[in-house]
Amino acid sequence: MHFIAARQLNKMAKVLSAIKVCGGTLRRIEHVSSSTGTTMTFAVFSPPTKIYPEQGFPALYWLSGLTCNDTNFCQKASPAFVQAAKEGLALVMPDTSPRGAGVEGEDASWDLGTGAGFYLDATNAPWSTNYKMYSYVTAELPALLAGADPSWRVSVVDRSVSGHSMGGHGALTIAMKDPAGWASVSALAPIVDPLSCPWGHKALDAYLAGGHTGEEAKQFSAVALLRASGKGFGCSLGEILIDQGAADEFLEAQLCPGTLQACAAEVGQPLRFRTHEGYDHSYFFVASFIAEHVAFAATNIRAKAKARHEKAQAEADAAAKAAAAAEAEASAAAEASPVGPIECQAMVAFAPNEPLTLESIIVAAPKAGEVRVRVIANALCHTDVYTWSGQDPEGLFPAILGHEAGAIVEAVGPGVTSLKVGDHVVPGYTPQCASPSCIFCMSPKTNLCPSIRSSQGRGLMPDGTSRFTLKRDGTTVYHFMGCSTFAEYTVLAEISCAKIRPEMPLEKACLFGCGVSTGLGAVMNTTKVEVGATVAVFGLGAVGLAVVQAAKMVGASRIIAVDVNPDKFTAAVAFGATECVNSAALPAGTTIQSHIVGMTKWGVDYSYDCTGNVDVMRAALECAHRGWGTSCVIGVAASGMEIKTRPFQLVTGRKWVGTAFGGWKTRTDVPRLVDKHLAGELPIDAYVTHTLTGVAATNEAIKVLKSGQCLRCVVVY
Ligand SMILES: [Zn+2]
Ligand SMILES: [Zn+2]
């Protein structure tokens, strides 16, 4: 498990000072930033507490204005500490730009370069190498804080953002671009529209390739973002609080808050805008009202956390109730009759590419070391379709396919000790025998336990026989990947079952049976991506998006999502992609690998093939960073295909690796992934794009999955 990769980075973060204030501690931290390529310094205030929250303190990010660094707010806005201590809130105070980057002209004026990063990622040379304050504040810094020592760890979930002037602009635009990521946003005397004020023009013209009139610039204006959202933000962002001094010397020329007020009214965004007579633009104004902004953030963070907990609790209660009922039903059934064969419905594949047939089948009682389970839900995976389509030369027919499921143990065979009737399980196609004599299970380096591999490959249970027969003529039906979950009941080896907490809904748990886990594990286990790394992902199905999600979770700084279908880019960005590339729309003569090398200078630190196409695998390898880039093959290639590249690619430091089930050990790790989800740290709901009912709907599910609009289609039996 490598959820703690961020902590490695903190070994390099240096605490410059720790000062007691208002009962809590104000730390200044220095670290080398991968976003800016410079040494960055930030301040973080931790409120007084006896117990550190495991996920870190809820926090208010404070973004300062032009010419400021991380210390201005600390020294001039002390009411913030009084209020934050009272609310139990941390304060995060980043710098306003890289320092000492050596960019020509960065110290020539006070409103550009040093002290004036504008919370954007520059795309125009020479600024584009170092001036990456958007990535720094939204990705790198939160990851570092989430992995910090518990005494100053900061939550990535419970947080709000606020700021002053240029920082107000930063707070508004950052929250508007990720409304689900922040409980609330507020600002004091913000620049609301850099597209139409001199400070904004100067900054955007210098930093952005398209200048202040370009398309990109609209991403860095609160007014433009609000206008583009239509009525989109109102519910997710909640009310915005803005304070403005009426005697502010920049009010008319630079700030122009009226345009934001008008736009908010137009699109229905709730806005509490307060004008204060006689106050100017200085920190005296900030000090006068900052306590209310801290309280505003704390109130909103608490409300969002409460709503989240209530939702999780309601889901858990409903699932526990359902589980208890199912368990009572199962144990009553077990008592009523000894374990014998059972009749149920299944979708049987009789021949490649022919629609599956709904059949009544007989499922024999589980033998020694086996369990029989009632399948509750099955998520279709491309491997099922691959075998069904006949491309898999080892595919056997007739067979019951399916391997991504959630199920409840209905009967146990002799000698089964780790499972009992009523247990909730996710079937695994990679077993974990956990025997001390199994050198694979005993090694932390692999999840590939070979103990039942040969029978599983022949479509049979470990004793060399099948548990399935057709009711109508007694024909034997083969098993598939040790799972066969296109059936209402199936038999599994005990060592193939991951036992999970019953409060996890099985129609979601099934996702951890293959694709999603594989993508997550490729990042967290196989390649162990570190904070700040750059990543490219080829193929944006469920596996590719899981790679994107995991890369974001571990703090990757750039996540380049590649596909030939631009319809997939919206989802990729929602999962955390920072850039999307349509590899089918590159100029003639440009390969995708040379394009990505061009975007990154030397290539990406990690790349992933999630397509199964051997040409894409080659492209993924060749866009990996000279000297150390690692490329991971995840996709399953068609039978007989071979990968190739020039050996020079490896000699110059690239590594080619592969992963099966993301390196997770089924019985140990799948339950942990479920726990992580239940703790709210691993959202997976967005993968389920389609839901169908009844095992007979599996043919429809295959159609849906092949349509290209589907990530996962869950069939609930
Ligand atoms: Zn083993
Ligand atoms: Zn699969």
Side-chain angles (χ1 to χ4, degrees):
M1 303 285 284
H2 295 277
F3 294 113
I4 53 165
R7 276 171 215 175
Q8 295 163 358
L9 190 135
N10 287 280
K11 291 190 189 129
M12 297 184 293
K14 192 167 138 201
V15 179
L16 299 177
S17 61
I19 301 166
K20 187 157 183 176
V21 51
C22 296
T25 306
L26 175 64
R27 290 177 176 81
R28 279 193 89 201
I29 317 278
E30 183 186 88
H31 69 115
V32 176
S33 164
S34 60
S35 308
T36 67
T38 63
T39 297
M40 294 293 287
T41 307
F42 65 89
V44 56
F45 168 74
S46 318
T49 181
K50 288 199 170 62
I51 303 164
Y52 300 123
E54 167 68 16
Q55 303 311 326
F57 291 108
L60 175 64
Y61 279 61
W62 172 262
L63 306 182
S64 288
L66 290 166
T67 74
C68 289
N69 61 25
D70 65 288
T71 64
N72 300 64
F73 183 78
C74 301
Q75 293 166 1
K76 296 177 176 174
S78 52
F81 296 108
V82 179
Q83 191 68 29
K86 207 192 290 178
E87 305 273 11
L89 211 60
L91 298 171
V92 177
M93 296 152 279
D95 205 341
T96 55
S97 75
R99 285 177 197 273
V103 177
E104 198 187 333
E106 70 181 344
D107 295 319
S109 56
W110 61 272
D111 54 0
L112 187 70
T114 303
F118 261 83
Y119 304 100
L120 53 72
D121 282 349
T123 53
N124 201 21
W127 307 99
S128 50
T129 308
N130 307 102
Y131 280 69
K132 299 283 186 190
M133 289 304 291
Y134 183 77
S135 292
Y136 178 72
V137 170
T138 61
E140 184 178 359
L141 184 58
L144 188 159
L145 288 163
D149 181 85
S151 60
W152 54 280
R153 188 177 302 165
V154 170
S155 170
V156 286
V157 178
D158 293 322
R159 57 182 194 171
S160 287
V161 61
S162 184
H164 173 228
S165 193
M166 175 185 75
H169 144 76
L172 290 167
T173 52
I174 283 170
M176 284 174 179
K177 278 192 274 195
D178 183 15
W182 303 89
S184 64
V185 55
S186 72
L188 293 114
I191 301 170
V192 300
D193 187 17
L195 305 186
S196 58
C197 71
W199 280 340
H201 288 185
K202 182 167 178 180
L204 301 182
D205 288 345
Y207 294 141
L208 300 182
H212 78 273
T213 55
E215 207 37 45
E216 198 184 5
K218 292 180 186 163
Q219 291 295 307
F220 300 105
S221 156
V223 168
L225 286 167
L226 198 51
R227 194 168 286 139
S229 84
K231 296 194 187 308
F233 291 142
C235 49
S236 46
L237 206 52
E239 184 185 50
I240 300 173
L241 171 65
I242 294 183
D243 281 315
Q244 176 63 56
D248 190 319
E249 54 276 36
F250 299 110
L251 185 59
E252 300 301 327
Q254 305 281 6
L255 306 177
C256 318
T259 53
L260 184 74
Q261 285 175 281
C263 189
E266 209 174 284
V267 303
Q269 166 62 47
L271 171 65
R272 198 193 321 169
F273 188 95
R274 308 189 301 187
T275 305
H276 303 280
E277 284 309 317
Y279 285 95
D280 66 12
H281 195 67
S282 71
Y283 257 98
F284 293 108
F285 165 61
V286 174
S288 304
F289 298 99
I290 188 63
E292 290 170 67
H293 287 253
V294 174
F296 177 78
T299 303
N300 280 297
I301 290 170
R302 277 194 294 268
K304 286 241 164 122
K306 184 160 172 267
R308 197 171 64 237
H309 288 141
E310 282 173 356
K311 182 166 173 270
Q313 192 57 49
E315 278 182 16
D317 286 353
K321 227 182 251 173
E327 189 158 356
E329 189 188 317
S331 63
E335 271 167 36
S337 60
V339 175
I342 207 170
E343 182 190 329
C344 70
Q345 305 284 295
M347 292 301 273
V348 180
F350 284 97
N353 249 327
E354 279 177 23
L356 308 177
T357 313
L358 184 67
E359 290 278 353
S360 288
I361 59 161
I362 305 297
V363 184
K367 293 192 180 177
E370 299 173 2
V371 298
R372 190 166 61 195
V373 300
R374 182 156 69 94
V375 180
I376 302 299
N378 185 86
L380 199 64
C381 168
H382 287 281
T383 311
D384 299 316
V385 178
Y386 170 70
T387 301
W388 167 75
S389 69
Q391 295 172 65
D392 176 2
E394 288 169 11
L396 297 162
F397 297 90
I400 296 172
L401 305 175
H403 65 283
E404 212 178 290
I408 300 174
V409 176
E410 174 265 340
V412 299
V416 171
T417 54
S418 65
L419 293 168
K420 60 179 191 314
V421 171
D423 281 347
H424 287 207
V425 298
V426 171
Y429 59 87
T430 304
Q432 184 185 356
C433 76
S435 157
S437 63
C438 175
I439 57 169
F440 294 88
C441 281
M442 290 303 108
S443 169
K445 295 179 183 174
T446 186
N447 62 336
L448 297 174
C449 168
S451 60
I452 58 172
R453 191 180 48 135
S454 69
S455 57
Q456 183 166 313
R458 289 180 290 130
L460 301 168
M461 294 305 288
D463 75 340
T465 62
S466 168
R467 301 289 164 270
F468 300 128
T469 46
L470 293 184
K471 190 194 172 204
R472 55 184 162 91
D473 61 5
T475 305
T476 299
V477 179
Y478 287 110
H479 293 253
F480 175 65
M481 290 176 82
C483 296
S484 288
T485 49
F486 291 173
E488 291 171 335
Y489 287 85
T490 187
V491 176
L492 307 167
E494 179 184 14
I495 59 170
S496 299
C497 293
K499 179 178 163 180
I500 61 165
R501 277 161 59 189
E503 44 289 27
M504 177 72 186
L506 289 166
E507 66 273 16
K508 281 205 257 173
C510 55
L511 297 180
F512 287 124
C514 182
V516 172
S517 297
T518 299
L520 297 171
V523 172
M524 293 169 171
N525 301 325
T526 312
T527 56
K528 299 181 175 54
V529 172
E530 64 272 19
V531 171
T534 54
V535 166
V537 187
F538 293 75
L540 302 175
V543 176
L545 293 177
V547 170
V548 170
Q549 179 179 25
K552 181 172 182 185
M553 282 172 76
V554 302
S557 62
R558 283 182 85 174
I559 304 171
I560 301 170
V562 183
D563 204 295
V564 293
N565 178 359
D567 292 349
K568 309 237 175 184
F569 294 158
T570 312
V573 169
F575 275 88
T578 58
E579 288 135 287
C580 297
V581 179
N582 180 351
S583 53
L586 297 173
T590 305
T591 62
I592 181 64
Q593 49 267 53
S594 65
H595 183 73
I596 291 176
V597 170
M599 289 168 74
T600 52
K601 191 166 180 194
W602 293 109
V604 291
D605 298 325
Y606 299 95
S607 65
Y608 301 85
D609 164 72
C610 311
T611 68
N613 178 317
V614 293
D615 296 327
V616 176
M617 292 175 190
R618 177 177 191 157
L621 176 82
E622 293 178 358
C623 77
H625 203 291
R626 182 187 169 89
W628 61 69
T630 299
S631 186
C632 182
V633 173
I634 309 177
V636 178
S639 163
M641 299 306 286
E642 296 186 343
I643 50 171
K644 61 181 176 192
T645 188
R646 286 178 303 128
F648 179 76
Q649 295 285 343
L650 303 181
V651 170
T652 46
R654 291 169 199 84
K655 287 194 233 15
W656 219 341
V657 301
T659 192
F661 195 47
W664 303 113
K665 288 184 190 274
T666 294
R667 307 198 79 191
T668 314
D669 292 333
V670 170
R672 290 185 186 162
L673 289 167
V674 167
D675 291 348
K676 198 90 188 152
H677 172 76
L678 289 173
E681 295 160 25
L682 179 56
I684 56 170
D685 295 11
Y687 290 104
V688 182
T689 51
H690 298 74
T691 306
L692 298 171
T693 308
V695 67
T698 305
N699 278 326
E700 178 64 22
I702 292 176
K703 237 180 266 169
V704 168
L705 187 68
K706 290 168 88 179
S707 73
Q709 306 300 316
C710 173
L711 294 177
R712 275 296 182 264
C713 177
V714 175
V715 181
V716 181
Y717 294 170

